[in-house]
Structures are given as C-alpha cells and as structure tokens.
Amino acid sequence: MEHNKRDRAATTQRILQALGQVLDEEGLVGVRINRIAEKAAVSKVLIYRYFGSIEGLLDYYLQQGGVLPQFSAAGLDQLQPVQPQDVALVWSSQSLQ
C-alpha cells in the first residue's frame, strides 16, 4: 500500500505562489482563502492549519519577501468606502509597510 506523503515545503510554496497570483490579478481586496486554495490546489483547511488565518498567511508571505500592492494617495481618493473609517484602516496599514 502506497501512502501519499505530503511535502510541506512544496505545498507552502504553492500556497505562497497562489497568494502572489491573486495579489497580482485582484489586488489586496481580492485575497480570499477560497481563491488561494483553489489556485494552489489545496483545501482551505490546510491553509488554516499551516498559517492559522489569512493574516498569518499574509504575515508569512511578507516575511518571505513577498510584496503587497501599495495604494497611492490618488488611489485612496478613488476608493468609495462604505464607512469613512474604512479608508483610515487601509491607509494606516499601508503606511506601516
């Protein structure tokens, strides 16, 4: 009986590549566990197991040298937030980078 052995390093790399593709295609607002899981051909449960949360995945991505798209001041002006504080959250998170 042959067992399918998981290669955690290769799977992690596929997940990071999928995250990079989603960021390139859809920007930060398009980042969803389901979308990343689909692109990486893994279950979303596996992503949660490896990284704990979407925030954990993004943190690991940044630690590995990944770059998140930046919003310019002009780009922030074009956003149509549901609540005024939404722009502040986006701006402050981008400023800290």
Side-chain angles (χ1 to χ4, degrees):
M1 184 164 142
E2 185 178 322
H3 294 293
N4 289 334
K5 187 173 182 177
R6 288 192 181 135
D7 182 348
R8 186 178 180 120
T11 302
T12 297
Q13 192 58 37
R14 278 199 340 264
I15 294 168
L16 293 177
Q17 288 173 344
L19 173 56
Q21 289 173 351
V22 170
L23 285 168
D24 288 344
E25 294 168 3
E26 303 174 34
L28 195 54
V29 296
V31 173
R32 302 285 184 268
I33 290 287
N34 287 338
R35 184 79 174 115
I36 297 164
E38 177 185 305
K39 283 194 166 288
V42 299
S43 73
K44 65 182 184 179
V45 172
L46 186 69
I47 295 174
Y48 284 116
R49 187 177 305 138
Y50 280 17
F51 302 101
S53 64
I54 191 72
E55 291 82 8
L57 173 57
L58 289 168
D59 185 48
Y60 187 81
Y61 180 77
L62 291 172
Q63 289 175 15
Q64 298 303 306
V67 177
L68 297 179
Q70 294 288 325
F71 288 106
S72 66
L76 286 173
D77 287 340
Q78 293 175 357
L79 291 177
Q80 298 297 317
V82 175
Q83 301 293 325
Q85 66 268 22
D86 292 343
V87 171
L89 291 172
V90 171
W91 179 84
S92 65
S93 67
Q94 293 296 316
S95 298
L96 293 173
Q97 295 177 17

